[in-house]
Amino acid sequence: TFSILLFGGAATLAQSSASRSESQSAQAYRNSQVYHAAADCAADLRRLEDVLRDAHPCLYCFTDSLTLHTAFAEAISELEAKPAVSVTENKFLHTVRRLVAMVQDGHLYAESNTSLVNYVAEQGKFFPLSLAIDNGKAYIREDYSATLDSAALGAQLLTINGTPVATVIAEMMPLLSADANLQKAKWRQLENVFTFDILYWTLYEPTDTYHISYRDLDGSVRSQNVTAVAGSIINLANADDNVTRHLTIDETTSTAYLDINTFYNADSKRDNAIYERFLAQSFREIKQKGIKNLVIDLRDNPGGLVHNAYRLFSYISPTDVESKVMVKSSGFLKEQKKLSFVEIMLKNLSRKSY
């Protein structure tokens, strides 16, 4: 996995000029912003393209070299046209995300750092709804502010603060990385409350309340304000949202439906035990009930640790599962592996904005 982290080492924080009439979140947003000189950002984009060219094993598998290089060149040219102008970390992050998303590699992505940490420290709040995305349309899945009536769950979300949700999603999609640019893979990312909220935070100035409109299940369009929530609530929701494992059995058709949305374990020792217990209990129940058909749903599963896949296969394969893994690595990465993490950081800290 290639993760591009934005640093703010030589940047400046915005000075608070907010009026007292502004919401707490709006003030926190202004106070949290980190700025970089456009010339430094341009230099970093040049460096980024060089590093990707050296390190990525399949940089031009989906986007040809001319198209990708042209996109980098245009972004650099725009920054160099006004070298002394200050650029917010969020704006630069959008540029980096858009460029790396063009590689169409789900393991290559850019993350925010300083501005977001500052915003949380300033007690800034986030959009409180998690969504289900289907064919580009958003449906309300959870309300972490407990503002909405339970009848609103499942309703189609139409607007947020007057902006059509279709427009919000369209602006987010080019900033998301996915293998072969799969749209469904990007929709699944947006269903993660943390991913949606951070992207929304970088695109739209936050407020303490959000005015939404939605279409009820009976077709009626309703409007309501929902209260923004603290980052700690989003983190807890994100932790709960990351792993989904369900077994559903339909005895009338003698069919078991197994839904596993990831093979990744954040905490190996604890999660390995939970995962193994889930598989053992599921297949024990399937055997006890004499179920003849099994559907394993991996549509939302982006991958993870190969031994977790093997654990699942061991329950359905009459023989041991064997595989051969070939890892293609560039000379650049081989050299990097010889260095310690500290040495890599010290070597690259002169590149202040990424």
Side-chain angles (χ1 to χ4, degrees), residues 63-84:
T63 302
D64 64 85
S65 59
L66 178 60
T67 300
L68 188 60
H69 176 69
T70 299
F72 267 93
E74 289 176 350
I76 291 169
S77 178
E78 182 179 345
L79 290 166
E80 289 182 335
K82 298 179 180 179

Side-chain angles (χ1 to χ4, degrees), residues 19-92:
S19 66
R20 292 189 177 182
S21 62
E22 276 189 317
S23 69
Q24 177 182 341
S25 293
Q27 291 185 37
Y29 184 80
R30 295 184 189 282
N31 293 342
S32 68
Q33 291 305 297
V34 173
Y35 289 82
H36 301 281
D40 291 339
C41 293
D44 286 341
L45 286 186
R46 291 185 188 280
R47 171 65 174 164
L48 174 59
E49 185 179 16
D50 288 342
V51 169
L52 287 176
R53 193 183 295 116
D54 290 339
H56 199 285
C58 196
L59 186 60
Y60 306 119
C61 285
F62 297 102
T63 302
D64 64 85
S65 59
L66 178 60
T67 300
L68 188 60
H69 176 69
T70 299
F72 267 93
E74 289 176 350
I76 291 169
S77 178
E78 182 179 345
L79 290 166
E80 289 182 335
K82 298 179 180 179
V85 172
S86 294
V87 179
T88 66
E89 183 180 81
N90 279 351
K91 184 176 180 180
F92 186 51

Side-chain angles (χ1 to χ4, degrees), residues 3-265:
S3 176
I4 301 165
L5 187 63
L6 300 187
F7 295 97
T12 58
L13 288 175
Q15 298 298 314
S16 176
S17 59
S19 66
R20 292 189 177 182
S21 62
E22 276 189 317
S23 69
Q24 177 182 341
S25 293
Q27 291 185 37
Y29 184 80
R30 295 184 189 282
N31 293 342
S32 68
Q33 291 305 297
V34 173
Y35 289 82
H36 301 281
D40 291 339
C41 293
D44 286 341
L45 286 186
R46 291 185 188 280
R47 171 65 174 164
L48 174 59
E49 185 179 16
D50 288 342
V51 169
L52 287 176
R53 193 183 295 116
D54 290 339
H56 199 285
C58 196
L59 186 60
Y60 306 119
C61 285
F62 297 102
T63 302
D64 64 85
S65 59
L66 178 60
T67 300
L68 188 60
H69 176 69
T70 299
F72 267 93
E74 289 176 350
I76 291 169
S77 178
E78 182 179 345
L79 290 166
E80 289 182 335
K82 298 179 180 179
V85 172
S86 294
V87 179
T88 66
E89 183 180 81
N90 279 351
K91 184 176 180 180
F92 186 51
L93 176 62
H94 292 165
T95 300
V96 175
R97 276 182 166 151
R98 177 176 55 81
L99 292 170
V100 299
M102 291 180 65
V103 179
Q104 301 183 40
D105 176 358
H107 292 82
L108 175 66
Y109 52 88
E111 298 177 342
S112 181
N113 185 22
T114 311
S115 295
L116 180 59
V117 171
N118 293 341
Y119 180 74
V120 173
E122 291 273 348
Q123 306 300 312
K125 298 181 179 180
F126 296 89
F127 184 67
L129 306 181
S130 72
L131 307 172
I133 313 292
D134 183 33
N135 289 326
K137 296 180 180 179
Y139 300 87
I140 300 172
R141 190 171 59 176
E142 296 286 346
D143 170 23
Y144 297 108
S145 70
T147 306
L148 294 174
D149 187 274
S150 60
L153 300 182
Q156 182 184 351
L157 185 63
L158 301 176
T159 63
I160 304 174
N161 286 347
T163 302
V165 172
T167 300
V168 175
I169 292 175
E171 290 184 342
M172 290 180 175
M173 292 292 275
L175 307 179
L176 294 168
S177 296
D179 293 339
N181 202 36
L182 291 174
Q183 301 300 287
K184 287 187 178 180
K186 293 187 177 186
W187 293 339
R188 297 294 84 79
Q189 290 179 53
L190 291 179
E191 288 181 343
N192 179 284
V193 62
F194 188 80
T195 301
F196 183 91
D197 268 22
I198 299 307
L199 276 180
Y200 189 89
W201 175 81
T202 64
L203 288 166
Y204 300 92
E205 186 171 299
T207 62
D208 289 341
T209 59
Y210 291 89
H211 185 73
I212 65 169
S213 66
Y214 57 92
R215 181 177 289 110
D216 265 344
L217 299 181
D218 63 4
S220 302
V221 176
R222 306 181 186 278
S223 298
Q224 187 174 341
N225 288 335
V226 290
T227 306
V229 295
S232 57
I233 295 177
I234 297 302
N235 272 332
L236 289 174
N238 178 56
D240 292 338
D241 202 35
N242 272 342
V243 178
T244 300
R245 301 182 184 119
H246 294 301
L247 171 68
T248 305
I249 292 181
D250 183 353
E251 294 190 61
T252 61
T253 60
S254 191
T255 301
Y257 176 82
L258 197 63
D259 181 11
I260 301 175
N261 79 332
T262 183
F263 289 129
Y264 175 73
N265 291 341

Side-chain angles (χ1 to χ4, degrees), residues 28 46 71 98 203 210 216 259 276 279 314 323 336 345 350:
R46 291 185 188 280
R98 177 176 55 81
L203 288 166
Y210 291 89
D216 265 344
D259 181 11
E276 183 57 53
L279 290 178
S314 69
S323 71
Q336 292 292 302
M345 294 294 292
S350 60

